[in-house]
Amino acid sequence: MSQDFITKANTVLADTYKRFPLAIVKGKGTKLWDTDGKEYTDFVAGIAVCNLGHACPEVAKALCNQAGLLFHVSNLYYTLPQVELAEWLAGHSFADRVFFCNSGAEANEAALKLARKYFHVKGETDRFRVIAMNQSFHGRTFGSLSATGQQKIREGYDPVLVGFDFVEFNDIEAVRRQLNSSVCAVMLEPIQGEGGIRCPEPGYLPSIRDLCDRTGTLLIFDEVQTGIGRTGKLFAYEHFGVVPDIMTLAKALGNGLPIGAMLAKEDVMSAFTPGSHASTFGGTPVITAAALEVMQYMEREKIVEHGRAMGEYFKEKLLGLKDRYGIVEDIRGMGLLLGMKLKISGAPIVSACMEKGFLINCIQENILRFVPPLIVSKNDIDALIDCLDKIFKDM
Ligand SMILES: *Cc1c(COP(=O)(O)O)cnc(C)c1O
């Protein structure tokens, strides 16, 4: 890409991202093209967002049809696609009701507000503390940041909200010790995403559910990254035989369009009444019409099942690399939320892959994260594995 463009970009944009010197102009399925016409196979999918791949024609059509009909009128009125999407989500999950917003952080804000409000309306106004996890990631707004257990992300923003206690993920005793009558909710990602693709140990989530049940504490699952088929089931909680009280969604819900959702059962969501919470754009027609098509397309084309099969195939191949190369420490994750922990820094591997036409991503310095579109093919996976094989061999 031209140095002029990079210089201009770095002058006019807030310097909040460490970007690769790559400007992407076009996509189709699992492929992307940059300004020089170079092709890439995408194993990032906009950070676990574009499950149906890029420029999905059916979603584009739903988006355009709705755009020709009605963009936005606010939540002073009912609109049809918002209700249909809520009905779809409730019909495919434990939840009865849905609050729509525009991002993962906002969905988590709504969840935290609902948890506090739930006890407030019961008269338990001292019950406002939240137990969250070390290494968690819930977003960048003050509430979601307050629940995020990573110092580097909170750096410079103190004081954050009061009332958050952090425990080690997978340590059930720590939750037991921290749970008391001032705790309104335990909040966690069923599989930690940004924190390093860390899976729950068998029995951990059921034990948390049990502790919450016995103390009347709400259980919030942040499925912003794990939801919408990413882990091989529509929602990750389905793997573990555990149902949360509140669940948040965002990333893949709109296949790239900005939308978040907070879902809950009737008795919990009833703590929200008119005026409790709101969003100007939340559930706006153009976005919900597209997201509804994303959900219906996934169901029609059995995308979750395909993603699950590809995830198993991919994991096998990654384990094969681990067998051959000592620099690979371990392979982790479920479905198409996969990670490869290295004994070396991941950044040079990401660059080498990019050079060879593959986009992958690295988290926590040394964990390569693979979150391709769920429509990824065996050919795509084989090609990436070949590429990694060559890179590791040449090192
Ligand atoms: C990405 C992410 C968020 C934040 O979502 P935004 O849309 O960036 O606000 C929250 N929780 C989890 C688990 C995430 O992966």
Side-chain angles (χ1 to χ4, degrees):
M1 197 195 0
S2 84
Q3 192 53 50
D4 284 356
F5 180 85
I6 295 178
T7 306
K8 178 170 69 182
N10 291 343
T11 314
V12 295
L13 298 174
D15 198 19
T16 48
Y17 306 97
K18 188 160 171 278
R19 295 176 207 262
F20 294 99
L22 188 64
I24 297 165
V25 289
K26 195 173 77 166
K28 188 79 213 154
T30 58
K31 305 294 180 189
L32 290 169
W33 288 271
D34 71 8
T35 37
D36 299 328
K38 181 172 170 184
E39 183 180 294
Y40 299 86
T41 307
D42 185 12
F43 283 81
V44 178
I47 315 186
V49 166
C50 305
N51 282 4
L52 307 183
H54 300 285
C56 178
E58 285 80 357
V59 178
K61 190 162 159 248
L63 183 73
C64 291
N65 283 349
Q66 183 60 45
L69 213 55
L70 183 72
F71 270 50
H72 175 85
V73 290
S74 88
N75 286 303
L76 292 171
Y77 314 98
Y78 294 100
T79 52
L80 306 183
Q82 180 179 146
V83 177
E84 283 185 64
L85 180 60
E87 189 179 25
W88 195 97
L89 290 171
H92 289 76
S93 72
F94 72 92
D96 299 314
R97 290 179 182 264
V98 185
F99 174 84
F100 287 112
C101 51
N102 313 286
S103 68
E106 276 179 69
N108 287 328
E109 291 294 327
L112 290 166
K113 286 180 77 173
L114 179 62
R116 284 191 174 178
K117 190 79 181 213
Y118 176 78
F119 288 103
H120 184 89
V121 300
K122 285 171 177 266
E124 299 181 50
T125 48
D126 290 342
R127 198 161 178 178
F128 62 84
R129 301 194 73 83
V130 173
I131 298 177
M133 302 294 145
N134 288 330
Q135 294 286 100
S136 63
F137 182 78
H138 297 297
R140 305 288 191 147
T141 55
F142 264 107
S144 62
L145 184 67
S146 303
T148 292
Q150 299 189 57
Q151 196 46 48
K152 66 169 198 248
I153 291 173
R154 296 166 58 146
E155 184 68 34
Y157 297 111
D158 280 332
V160 294
L161 293 190
V162 295
F164 289 78
D165 302 308
F166 291 91
V167 298
E168 200 53 37
F169 187 71
N170 270 330
D171 183 350
I172 189 66
E173 285 312 315
V175 177
R176 198 192 309 274
R177 277 197 299 276
Q178 205 61 247
L179 253 184
N180 58 47
S181 60
S182 67
V183 174
C184 66
V186 176
M187 178 176 195
L188 76 168
E189 303 150 83
I191 299 174
Q192 287 195 330
E194 303 302 310
I197 313 193
R198 296 163 78 202
C199 290
E201 277 161 17
Y204 175 63
L205 295 176
S207 299
I208 291 193
R209 177 71 272 178
D210 187 52
L211 282 178
C212 287
D213 285 344
R214 282 196 275 135
T215 52
T217 309
L218 297 175
L219 178 57
I220 304 173
F221 276 0
D222 176 346
E223 292 231 26
V224 168
Q225 186 157 160
T226 56
I228 321 291
R230 178 50 55 188
T231 67
K233 295 206 186 264
L234 187 56
F235 304 111
Y237 74 79
E238 298 170 38
H239 288 291
F240 308 109
V242 169
V243 172
D245 298 298
I246 301 174
M247 173 171 73
T248 55
L249 300 173
K251 289 195 164 83
L253 183 52
N255 203 53
L257 296 163
I259 179 169
M262 187 274 287
L263 292 77
K265 280 219 157 302
E266 176 69 35
D267 65 316
V268 176
M269 196 71 100
S270 64
F272 269 0
T273 52
S276 295
H277 196 43
S279 167
T280 297
F281 293 126
T284 200
V286 173
I287 304 298
T288 45
L292 178 65
E293 177 55 25
V294 173
M295 296 303 108
Q296 291 174 339
Y297 182 98
M298 273 187 22
E299 196 168 29
R300 236 173 22 239
E301 304 295 328
K302 305 206 181 324
I303 301 297
V304 179
E305 291 80 354
H306 175 78
R308 180 162 63 226
M310 290 303 105
E312 281 163 18
Y313 180 78
F314 197 175
K315 196 170 187 180
E316 281 295 305
K317 295 276 170 178
L318 291 171
L319 285 166
L321 287 177
K322 177 177 177 278
D323 286 344
R324 289 203 292 289
Y325 298 102
I327 54 162
V328 180
E329 188 171 313
D330 89 291
I331 305 300
R332 44 179 70 188
M334 293 176 81
L336 283 169
L337 178 60
L338 292 172
M340 172 187 266
K341 186 169 185 193
L342 300 172
K343 292 173 188 161
I344 58 167
S345 160
I349 313 286
V350 173
S351 298
C353 282
M354 190 177 295
E355 176 83 12
K356 293 181 195 307
F358 294 90
L359 300 186
I360 64 168
N361 150 257
C362 177
I363 49 175
Q364 306 289 334
E365 304 295 331
N366 61 354
I367 300 168
L368 302 181
R369 174 169 54 180
F370 307 103
V371 284
L374 303 189
I375 57 155
V376 71
S377 69
K378 280 189 178 177
N379 279 344
D380 293 328
I381 294 167
D382 289 344
L384 174 71
I385 294 289
D386 261 6
C387 166
L388 288 169
D389 201 340
K390 288 200 182 81
I391 292 167
F392 290 163
K393 197 177 289 168
D394 291 347
M395 276 172 45

